[in-house]
Amino acid sequence: MKLHRLRPPVTASKARHETFDVIFGHDTKAGRNFDLVLIVAILASVLVVMLESVASIRSEYGGILRATEWVFTVAFTVEYALRLWSVGRPFLYARSGLGIIDLVSILPTYLSVLLPGGQVLAVVRILRVLRVFRILRLAHYSGEASVLMNALRASRYKITVFVFAVMTIVAVVGSLMFLVEGPEGGFTSIPRGVYWAVVTLTTVGYGDIAPQSALGQALATVVMVMGYGIIAVPTGIVTAEIAFASRPSVGRRACEACSREGHDRDAEFCKWCGGALGRSGPDDEE
């Protein structure tokens, strides 16, 4: 989301503008310090949640850990409220990706009042550390992340078709295994057979259920061999899209000096002879 779309109106109070600059500004010292303190607090709160899940630690320090978790939650709640107050369009921020993560990160602790143990979901706060890419100016990482996201987006239809094909295979194989082995072999139902097919096709192989008959083992062998081929399919699809997205953008402009093509679209000089290039023509546009 563009920061200028969230900036408070000119008529807003000075305190509101200053709060916005500190919370959302990454170019000022105060803004960077605020974000770094926030990241440390997020990591510390996640650590507290993890430590509380250890029975031996919980039995001795459970009260302290719970109190600390509430302190972090209240602090994050105040911070979230300040974010909504300081922006010019609170609803726009609240329904943005980062805004939703900020809200979800504080809900589990309040949920634990009604649902004991619900505070463990607070580990989703770790998602807020994604801000580190902006804070530490790791722009090249953000660029690579964009390439990956574009590749996943471009391959979503192929992956969807692939997933449906796999679902069809496991449904058929699971049903066949239920028919072949039956309850005597541990396949008490078709869903149980489908579970076995998924575990086997993905080459996980828990071993909690296995065919006993010769026909069942033959079918299992086919599924296992098929699994190696199936795993390679989505990898190849995404890899091809990443390679395509990472490919430099070149045009068809020819150098007037050496007549060679294949220059970058924003190039001003020939990469082979160094001669000046003309402006992009219509053939250079996609």
Side-chain angles (χ1 to χ4, degrees):
M1 179 183 297
K2 300 297 183 181
L3 196 59
H4 66 83
R5 300 180 62 188
L6 297 176
R7 188 168 294 280
V10 180
T11 56
S13 64
K14 180 181 178 181
R16 190 174 172 186
H17 278 280
E18 291 178 347
T19 302
F20 178 86
D21 291 336
V22 171
I23 294 179
F24 290 94
H26 308 296
D27 298 326
T28 64
K29 183 177 180 181
R32 288 194 296 271
N33 289 339
F34 173 82
D35 287 331
L36 289 174
V37 170
L38 178 61
I39 287 177
V40 172
I42 291 170
L43 294 177
S45 68
V46 172
L47 178 62
V48 167
V49 173
M50 291 182 174
L51 290 176
E52 191 182 2
S53 67
V54 181
S56 58
I57 297 179
R58 183 174 62 249
S59 61
E60 188 170 355
Y61 303 103
I64 297 176
L65 292 174
R66 283 292 288 161
T68 304
E69 169 57 23
W70 274 105
V71 170
F72 280 125
T73 299
V74 171
F76 292 143
T77 302
V78 172
E79 179 240 343
Y80 179 70
L82 287 175
R83 287 182 182 274
L84 293 179
W85 173 72
S86 64
V87 298
R89 303 169 66 182
F91 181 71
L92 178 63
Y93 174 74
R95 63 188 180 89
S96 67
L98 290 177
I100 293 174
I101 292 175
D102 290 344
L103 176 61
V104 171
S105 68
I106 63 176
L107 291 180
T109 305
Y110 295 112
L111 180 64
S112 66
V113 176
L114 302 176
L115 181 62
Q119 70 274 8
V120 299
L121 299 176
V123 293
V124 298
R125 289 174 185 165
I126 198 71
L127 294 175
R128 301 189 68 193
V129 180
L130 293 174
R131 300 176 190 275
V132 73
F133 289 104
R134 292 185 179 181
I135 299 165
L136 301 182
R137 300 175 180 275
L138 301 179
H140 49 291
Y141 288 104
S142 298
E144 296 301 324
S146 298
V147 170
L148 179 59
M149 291 304 299
N150 290 336
L152 293 174
R153 189 178 298 111
S155 59
R156 64 186 183 276
Y157 298 116
K158 299 175 185 176
I159 296 296
T160 300
V161 173
F162 169 77
V163 170
F164 277 108
V166 171
M167 290 173 60
T168 302
I169 292 173
V170 297
V172 172
V173 172
S175 301
L176 287 176
M177 192 59 72
F178 169 71
L179 180 63
V180 171
E181 292 291 325
E184 297 79 8
F187 293 82
T188 55
S189 63
I190 291 180
R192 182 73 170 168
V194 170
Y195 159 77
W196 171 87
V198 171
V199 171
T200 305
L201 195 64
T202 55
T203 71
V204 175
Y206 288 130
D208 55 340
I209 179 174
Q212 304 300 320
S213 67
L215 182 57
Q217 291 172 352
L219 179 58
T221 302
V222 173
V223 176
M224 293 173 194
V225 174
M226 189 185 303
Y228 285 104
I230 285 181
I231 289 176
V233 173
T235 304
I237 292 174
V238 177
T239 301
E241 293 295 345
I242 291 177
F244 180 80
S246 303
R247 188 177 61 185
S249 178
V250 296
R252 298 174 56 188
R253 280 181 299 168
C255 174
E256 296 180 359
C258 66
S259 302
R260 300 188 69 170
E261 298 181 354
H263 303 93
D264 294 346
R265 296 186 188 280
D266 58 350
E268 298 180 1
F269 299 94
C270 176
K271 64 175 70 175
W272 287 280
C273 71
L277 298 173
R279 291 189 175 183
S280 316
D283 292 339
D284 241 5
E285 304 297 332
E286 289 184 350

